[in-house]
Amino acid sequence: MTDESRIVLTSRQAQRERPARSWKSFFIRWTVIVGALAAAHGAIYVLLHPDLAIDQVVVTGAKYVNSADVAALADKVLIGRYALILPKNSFFLLDAKSLTHEIIKSFPRIREIAVRKEFADTLHIRISERIFWGMLCLTATRDDTTGIMLSPALLPEATTTDATVPHRAASVESEWVPPKEIAGCAFIDETAFAYAPAPTAEGNLIRKIYTDEVNVGIGVRDMDSRLMDDVHAIAQNFEKHGQRRIARFYILADLPREIRVALAGGPILYLNRHDDYESLARYFDTVVLKEFKNRLRDVAYIDLRFGNKIFYKLRGGK
């Protein structure tokens, strides 16, 4: 009897405590909901507040790109809203990655961009521009390759007693005529990235690469990096050791193993791709320049593809 009374009393106690627990749980739940709504309202208020929106764009580092144009593009990108509610120019919602992509796409001359926000309404854009290296010109594909390839079978025998003297090439070798560009040119940086269209220009003032192996398109880099390494090595070594400025490079599909190089006011050099250009330039300096001295302008081409055996041809078939 005592045990049954004890069970009844425990059941009545639980019934008295249940309402208190329900009210406590209800209060906690609504406190969390109200707090979350208040936080969301506060966040939206902050994101929509006009004093916390980007309204000033400062562009630095530009030399050739118009800073005002970059700032105007940034303002344009920041116009609009996310989900029709949140402004894109909010200090806290700024998408720096998307902004950087749009600017670089619109201004190929720009290499890199650093975006920095200054509380609470200023955006700093620091740009790094591509450095001008020369011009890249698209040439025609030639069907007539007569005289372009210099076959070793057509070369005269070099004397075994003096292999360091340049030898005149066989008369059957015709003078190579460089192709002309047909699709225009572009200004490029040192990586052959084309960042702006360029006018067709003659003369030796601007270094040029003529090729039919790539498509010349603005905002792209199609040149093989190994070929650009060759171009840089040739220019560096021949201008240093050979003391002659390189005016033009010819990288053509019908010369798959060669690069042909025109010296400013001088002959065209026949070179192998991926060669030891430092050794060739030193050899050119010590042998060729001393041999021809002031007659270098009379030479049509000098063939440096066969080690220390150098072949040449005078202009006009002399």
Side-chain angles (χ1 to χ4, degrees):
M1 190 72 177
T2 305
D3 293 339
E4 291 179 359
S5 299
R6 188 176 301 150
I7 293 173
V8 171
L9 289 174
T10 302
S11 175
R12 290 177 179 177
Q13 182 180 2
Q15 291 177 358
R16 288 195 301 267
E17 291 179 354
R18 186 178 297 116
R21 292 179 180 176
S22 299
W23 278 104
K24 185 177 180 180
S25 176
F26 176 81
F27 177 77
I28 293 174
R29 185 182 301 114
W30 276 100
T31 299
V32 171
I33 293 174
V34 171
L37 291 174
H41 179 271
I44 294 176
Y45 175 81
V46 169
L47 295 175
L48 295 177
H49 200 287
D51 291 338
L52 297 175
I54 300 294
D55 62 5
Q56 183 178 0
V57 179
V58 179
V59 180
T60 58
K63 294 182 179 179
Y64 304 101
V65 176
N66 191 318
S67 299
D69 291 342
V70 176
L73 178 61
D75 288 334
K76 183 179 179 180
V77 172
L78 296 178
I79 294 175
R81 294 177 179 273
Y82 298 110
L84 302 177
I85 299 174
L86 303 177
K88 292 183 178 181
N89 67 340
S90 169
F91 182 85
F92 300 101
L93 296 179
L94 175 68
D95 187 350
K97 183 177 181 180
S98 176
L99 177 62
T100 298
H101 174 75
E102 289 297 326
I103 292 176
I104 290 181
K105 183 177 69 173
S106 300
F107 299 93
R109 184 71 188 259
I110 298 177
R111 179 190 295 273
E112 295 178 344
I113 291 179
V115 177
R116 178 175 61 87
K117 297 183 292 184
E118 180 180 339
F119 194 81
D121 60 359
T122 304
L123 180 66
H124 291 272
I125 301 176
R126 179 167 183 79
I127 66 177
S128 175
E129 297 176 329
R130 298 183 182 276
I131 299 175
F132 167 76
W133 184 86
M135 292 167 54
L136 180 66
C137 298
L138 183 64
T139 68
T141 301
R142 298 184 57 183
D143 294 325
D144 179 14
T145 59
T146 303
I148 291 181
M149 297 297 291
L150 183 60
S151 173
L154 301 179
L155 298 175
E157 292 288 339
T159 57
T160 56
T161 57
D162 188 3
T164 62
V165 177
H167 295 267
R168 185 176 300 186
S171 59
V172 293
E173 168 68 11
S174 61
E175 184 174 338
W176 180 68
V177 178
K180 297 180 180 179
E181 68 274 14
I182 62 170
C185 302
F187 292 119
I188 60 173
D189 67 0
E190 70 279 3
T191 67
F193 183 94
Y195 60 81
T200 302
E202 300 294 337
N204 301 322
L205 183 61
I206 298 177
R207 186 186 290 117
K208 306 178 190 68
I209 299 175
Y210 293 86
T211 182
D212 58 5
E213 294 189 5
V214 300
N215 293 321
V216 181
I218 305 304
V220 296
R221 182 190 296 109
D222 287 333
M223 181 72 70
D224 187 332
S225 60
R226 289 191 65 193
L227 288 176
M228 278 308 296
D229 290 342
D230 285 351
V231 167
H232 288 304
I234 292 170
Q236 177 182 351
N237 287 290
F238 276 85
E239 291 177 0
K240 176 182 178 181
H241 301 294
Q243 302 177 14
R244 290 293 187 277
R245 186 176 184 277
I246 305 296
R248 294 176 299 281
F249 296 84
Y250 298 95
I251 301 175
L252 306 173
D254 54 11
L255 300 173
R257 296 183 179 86
E258 299 180 41
I259 294 180
R260 301 208 167 174
V261 175
L263 301 181
I268 293 177
L269 307 182
Y270 294 5
L271 305 172
N272 291 317
R273 298 188 184 188
H274 319 314
D275 209 339
D276 182 1
Y277 299 116
E278 182 177 4
S279 297
L280 283 175
R282 291 182 182 276
Y283 191 62
F284 180 80
D285 179 34
T286 56
V287 177
V288 178
L289 294 184
K290 290 181 180 179
E291 174 71 18
F292 292 105
K293 296 182 180 179
N294 297 327
R295 298 184 296 114
L296 203 58
R297 291 180 177 272
D298 297 330
V299 181
Y301 69 78
I302 299 175
D303 195 331
L304 299 172
R305 295 174 296 168
F306 305 102
N308 62 349
K309 295 181 179 180
I310 300 176
F311 301 91
Y312 70 93
K313 187 170 186 177
L314 299 177
R315 296 187 186 278
K318 298 178 181 179

